[in-house]
Short mmCIF file of all heavy atoms in Angstrom, two decimals:
data_model
loop_
_atom_site.label_atom_id
_atom_site.label_comp_id
_atom_site.label_asym_id
_atom_site.label_seq_id
_atom_site.Cartn_x
_atom_site.Cartn_y
_atom_site.Cartn_z
N THR A 216 212.61 161.74 -206.70
CA THR A 216 211.42 161.96 -205.87
C THR A 216 211.09 160.72 -205.02
O THR A 216 210.91 160.84 -203.81
CB THR A 216 210.23 162.40 -206.75
OG1 THR A 216 210.62 163.59 -207.43
CG2 THR A 216 208.98 162.66 -205.94
N ARG A 241 201.26 155.00 -211.35
CA ARG A 241 202.21 154.00 -211.87
C ARG A 241 203.14 154.60 -212.92
O ARG A 241 203.51 153.94 -213.88
CB ARG A 241 201.45 152.82 -212.46
CG ARG A 241 200.47 153.22 -213.55
CD ARG A 241 199.86 152.02 -214.24
NE ARG A 241 198.66 152.42 -214.95
CZ ARG A 241 197.90 151.60 -215.65
NH1 ARG A 241 198.22 150.35 -215.73
NH2 ARG A 241 196.83 152.04 -216.28
N SER A 242 203.52 155.88 -212.75
CA SER A 242 204.44 156.49 -213.73
C SER A 242 205.84 155.92 -213.53
O SER A 242 206.18 155.39 -212.46
CB SER A 242 204.47 158.01 -213.57
OG SER A 242 205.17 158.36 -212.40
N HIS A 264 195.96 152.62 -209.57
CA HIS A 264 196.07 153.58 -210.68
C HIS A 264 194.69 153.85 -211.25
O HIS A 264 193.66 153.46 -210.67
CB HIS A 264 197.03 153.02 -211.74
CG HIS A 264 196.77 151.60 -212.09
ND1 HIS A 264 195.77 151.23 -212.95
CD2 HIS A 264 197.35 150.47 -211.64
CE1 HIS A 264 195.75 149.93 -213.04
NE2 HIS A 264 196.69 149.43 -212.26
N SER A 265 194.66 154.50 -212.42
CA SER A 265 193.38 154.99 -212.95
C SER A 265 192.41 153.85 -213.31
O SER A 265 191.21 154.09 -213.41
CB SER A 265 193.63 155.86 -214.17
OG SER A 265 194.44 155.18 -215.10
N VAL A 284 199.34 160.93 -208.19
CA VAL A 284 198.39 160.81 -209.31
C VAL A 284 198.21 162.12 -210.08
O VAL A 284 197.72 162.11 -211.20
CB VAL A 284 197.00 160.31 -208.84
CG1 VAL A 284 197.04 158.86 -208.46
CG2 VAL A 284 196.45 161.14 -207.71
N GLY A 285 198.60 163.24 -209.49
CA GLY A 285 198.40 164.52 -210.18
C GLY A 285 196.94 164.93 -210.29
O GLY A 285 196.55 165.57 -211.26
N GLN A 286 196.13 164.58 -209.25
CA GLN A 286 194.70 164.95 -209.23
C GLN A 286 194.44 165.70 -207.92
O GLN A 286 194.57 165.12 -206.84
CB GLN A 286 193.81 163.70 -209.25
CG GLN A 286 194.02 162.79 -210.43
CD GLN A 286 193.47 163.40 -211.70
OE1 GLN A 286 192.52 164.19 -211.67
NE2 GLN A 286 194.06 163.06 -212.83
N VAL A 304 202.84 163.33 -203.01
CA VAL A 304 203.80 163.76 -204.04
C VAL A 304 203.17 164.79 -204.97
O VAL A 304 203.87 165.59 -205.60
CB VAL A 304 204.30 162.53 -204.84
CG1 VAL A 304 205.31 162.93 -205.90
CG2 VAL A 304 204.92 161.48 -203.91
N ILE A 306 201.62 167.78 -207.04
CA ILE A 306 201.75 169.25 -207.06
C ILE A 306 200.74 169.73 -208.09
O ILE A 306 200.93 169.54 -209.29
CB ILE A 306 203.17 169.69 -207.47
CG1 ILE A 306 204.23 169.12 -206.53
CG2 ILE A 306 203.26 171.21 -207.51
CD1 ILE A 306 205.66 169.45 -206.94
N THR A 345 213.34 166.44 -203.66
CA THR A 345 213.75 166.01 -204.99
C THR A 345 215.12 166.57 -205.35
O THR A 345 216.01 165.84 -205.78
CB THR A 345 212.67 166.42 -206.02
OG1 THR A 345 211.47 165.76 -205.65
CG2 THR A 345 213.04 165.99 -207.42
P1 LIG B 680 201.72 160.90 -214.35
O1 LIG B 680 200.64 161.72 -214.93
O2 LIG B 680 202.84 160.42 -215.20
O3 LIG B 680 201.09 159.62 -213.64
C1 LIG B 680 199.91 159.72 -212.88
C2 LIG B 680 199.46 158.34 -212.46
O4 LIG B 680 198.30 158.50 -211.67
C3 LIG B 680 199.10 157.42 -213.61
O5 LIG B 680 199.74 156.18 -213.40
C4 LIG B 680 197.58 157.25 -213.52
O6 LIG B 680 197.18 155.90 -213.74
C5 LIG B 680 197.27 157.63 -212.09
N1 LIG B 680 196.00 158.34 -212.02
C6 LIG B 680 195.67 159.49 -212.64
N2 LIG B 680 194.41 159.86 -212.34
C7 LIG B 680 193.95 158.94 -211.48
C8 LIG B 680 192.71 158.76 -210.80
N3 LIG B 680 191.70 159.65 -210.95
N4 LIG B 680 192.56 157.70 -210.00
C9 LIG B 680 193.57 156.84 -209.86
N5 LIG B 680 194.76 156.94 -210.46
C10 LIG B 680 194.96 157.98 -211.27
O7 LIG B 680 202.26 161.76 -213.12
P2 LIG B 680 203.67 161.73 -212.33
O8 LIG B 680 204.74 162.30 -213.18
O9 LIG B 680 203.86 160.41 -211.68
O10 LIG B 680 203.35 162.83 -211.20
C11 LIG B 680 202.30 162.67 -210.28
C12 LIG B 680 202.17 163.92 -209.44
O11 LIG B 680 203.36 164.12 -208.72
C13 LIG B 680 201.97 165.22 -210.24
O12 LIG B 680 201.12 166.08 -209.50
C14 LIG B 680 203.35 165.80 -210.33
O13 LIG B 680 203.33 167.21 -210.48
C15 LIG B 680 203.91 165.40 -209.00
N6 LIG B 680 205.37 165.28 -208.96
C16 LIG B 680 206.02 165.90 -207.96
C17 LIG B 680 207.40 165.82 -207.84
C18 LIG B 680 208.08 166.49 -206.71
O14 LIG B 680 207.53 166.63 -205.65
N7 LIG B 680 209.29 166.94 -206.83
C19 LIG B 680 208.12 165.09 -208.77
C20 LIG B 680 207.45 164.42 -209.78
C21 LIG B 680 206.06 164.51 -209.86
#
Side-chain angles (χ1 to χ4, degrees):
T216 302
R241 57 173 162 180
S242 73
H264 47 79
S265 52
V284 288
Q286 302 288 332
V304 181
I306 302 176
T345 299

